[in-house]
Amino acid sequence: MGPPAMGPPATTTLAVKPDEPWTENLTMRVMCKDCKEDPPNVVEDFSAGDMICGSCGLILGDRIVDTRSEWRTFTNDDQNNDDPSRVGDGANPLLNGAQLQTSIAFGGGAAAKTRDLSRAQNKVNNDKSTKTLLAAYKQIGAFCDGMSTSKSVSDTSKHLFKIVHDESAFRGKSQDSLIAACIFIACRQCKVARTFREVQDVTKVSKAEIGRAFKYLEKFFAARNEKMKAAVVEAGGVFNPDGAGYDNVESTTPKDLCTRFCNLLDLSQKCTRLSQEVAAKTEMSGILAGRSPISTAAACIYMASYLAGEPKSAKDVAIVAGVSDGTIRNAYKIMFGEKEKLVRKDWTAQGKVDLKRLPPA
C-alpha cells in the first residue's frame, strides 16, 4: 500500500481590522534616561522621598509624597468612625511660627466646659502678628481677584508684604497704601504690568499715595538686597538674587500695555503685533519722549487699528486706556508726521498695512 494522499494545506483566515484613526498618546511615563527600559523599572523609596531606577540606581525624582497611613487604623474601634490616617495641615510659608498649636473644639454634651477651654486656649495662642498678616492677605487676594490677575501675582504680593511686615520698616504708614504698592510691584515682577490708575480703581488708594509707597518700598528692597549680598559675600558665598524675594525690574513700557489694551478692544492678533511694533519703534526713536507709557500705548493702538483695517475711534481707546481722547489725538499728531519711520517697509511692500488708511492728523 502506498502512502495516503495528501490534501491541500489548511488555510487560516485572519480578520483584518479597519484602520483606526491616529490619536496622540498623552500618557506621561517616568523612564530612566540611561536604561530606557519599557516598561520602566521604577522604585519609590518613601523613607528617603526619592524615585529610583531599580536597574541602575539613578534618582529620577525627589520629594515623593508618601500617601500611606502613618499608622494602622481600626475604623470600627474609633469613635464616630474617624480615620486618623492623615492629620494636620501643611505649613504656610507666609505665616510666622511653627503653626502647630492645638485647637480645642467644643460641642456635644459638655459644651460649656469645652467652650471655656477653647476661649482660654485662644487667649494663650492669640498672635496679633498672625492676625494682621491674615487680614492683609485677605485684602490682597480680593484686590488681585478684582484685577483679574493670576495666583502668582497674589502670592508675590503676599510675600512682599510679609517681608515689609516682618522688618517693621514702615510703622505709622498706611497699610492700604503699602498693600497697593506691593500689588503694583508684584504685577511688574510677574510681567503683567498694571498702571497706577488700575490699582487705584481696585484698592481705592489715591495714585499719589501709591506712588509714594512704591518709592519707599523700592528703596527698602534695594537696601535689603545689598545688605543680604554683602553678608553672603563676606561669608565667602555667591549671592543668588532669586532668593532675595525682590527683583529690581524696569518700569512699564508702552509695548507691555499694548497686548492687554488690544484684548479689551477686541482687536486681532495681527493688530496687536502691529501696535507692539509701533510702540517699540516709538520708544526707540524718542518721538513721544516725556509722555506717559499709557498715552503712548493708546496712540500706538489708535494708529495700528487703522493700519490693520480695524479702525477704533480715539474715544474707544481712551475708555480702555484711561486717558482723554484729546491726549491720544495730540500724540497721534506727532506720530503721523513720522509715520514712515514707525512702520516697517516690508509690511507695506507685502500689503499687510496701508499708510493711506491713516486718518489725517
Side-chain angles (χ1 to χ4, degrees), residues 2-270:
M6 300 293 293
T11 58
T12 304
T13 305
L14 298 177
V16 181
K17 295 182 179 180
D19 293 339
E20 297 181 357
W22 180 85
T23 56
E24 185 179 0
N25 186 4
L26 300 178
T27 305
M28 296 182 63
R29 304 176 65 186
V30 178
M31 184 180 294
C32 178
K33 64 179 182 180
D34 293 338
C35 301
K36 297 181 180 179
E37 294 179 341
D38 191 16
N41 181 17
V42 178
V43 179
E44 292 181 339
D45 184 3
F46 291 116
S47 60
D50 295 333
M51 185 183 296
I52 306 170
C53 175
S55 301
C56 67
L58 180 68
I59 297 178
L60 306 178
D62 56 357
R63 300 184 66 84
I64 301 299
V65 178
D66 187 0
T67 56
R68 301 173 300 177
S69 301
E70 277 90 355
W71 54 71
R72 294 184 300 161
T73 59
F74 303 93
T75 308
N76 295 331
D77 298 338
D78 293 333
Q79 190 176 3
N80 298 327
N81 292 331
D82 292 332
D83 182 7
S85 60
R86 286 283 159 194
V87 292
D89 193 9
N92 189 349
L94 296 173
L95 295 178
N96 296 320
Q99 306 171 35
L100 297 175
Q101 297 98 347
T102 302
S103 298
I104 300 177
F106 56 89
K113 293 181 180 180
T114 53
R115 187 183 297 111
D116 293 339
L117 284 173
S118 178
R119 287 177 179 173
Q121 192 261 354
N122 287 335
K123 288 181 180 179
V124 173
N125 292 332
N126 186 15
D127 188 358
K128 292 183 179 180
S129 175
T130 302
K131 283 190 174 182
T132 304
L133 286 174
L134 288 174
Y137 294 162
K138 188 176 180 180
Q139 273 187 292
I140 292 173
F143 291 153
C144 291
D145 289 343
M147 296 172 62
S148 300
T149 56
S150 61
K151 188 176 182 297
S152 60
V153 176
S154 176
D155 292 342
T156 305
S157 306
K158 293 174 184 178
H159 180 60
L160 294 175
F161 182 82
K162 183 179 185 299
I163 294 175
V164 175
H165 181 269
D166 292 346
E167 296 284 342
S168 301
F170 298 97
R171 287 184 177 177
K173 299 289 183 183
S174 170
Q175 180 172 303
D176 292 339
S177 61
L178 292 176
I179 288 175
C182 287
I183 293 174
F184 181 79
I185 294 173
C187 288
R188 281 193 175 182
Q189 288 193 348
C190 296
K191 308 297 182 184
V192 286
R194 294 292 188 270
T195 62
F196 282 124
R197 188 186 300 275
E198 290 174 300
V199 179
Q200 172 190 332
D201 292 342
V202 174
T203 60
K204 307 304 178 186
V205 181
S206 66
K207 289 197 301 180
E209 288 188 33
I210 298 175
R212 282 195 294 268
F214 169 67
K215 290 182 179 178
Y216 293 148
L217 290 180
E218 266 202 324
K219 292 179 181 178
F220 165 74
F221 286 125
R224 180 175 176 273
N225 282 9
E226 289 296 327
K227 188 184 297 184
M228 292 176 62
K229 183 178 180 180
V232 171
V233 172
E234 186 178 353
V238 179
F239 178 68
N240 181 16
D242 294 336
Y246 174 77
D247 297 328
N248 190 12
V249 295
E250 298 179 355
S251 59
T252 305
T253 62
K255 185 179 178 181
D256 298 333
L257 301 172
C258 284
T259 303
R260 193 158 45 86
F261 289 165
C262 287
N263 288 338
L264 295 174
L265 287 167
D266 242 355
L267 293 172
S268 64
Q269 190 66 27
K270 170 188 172 183

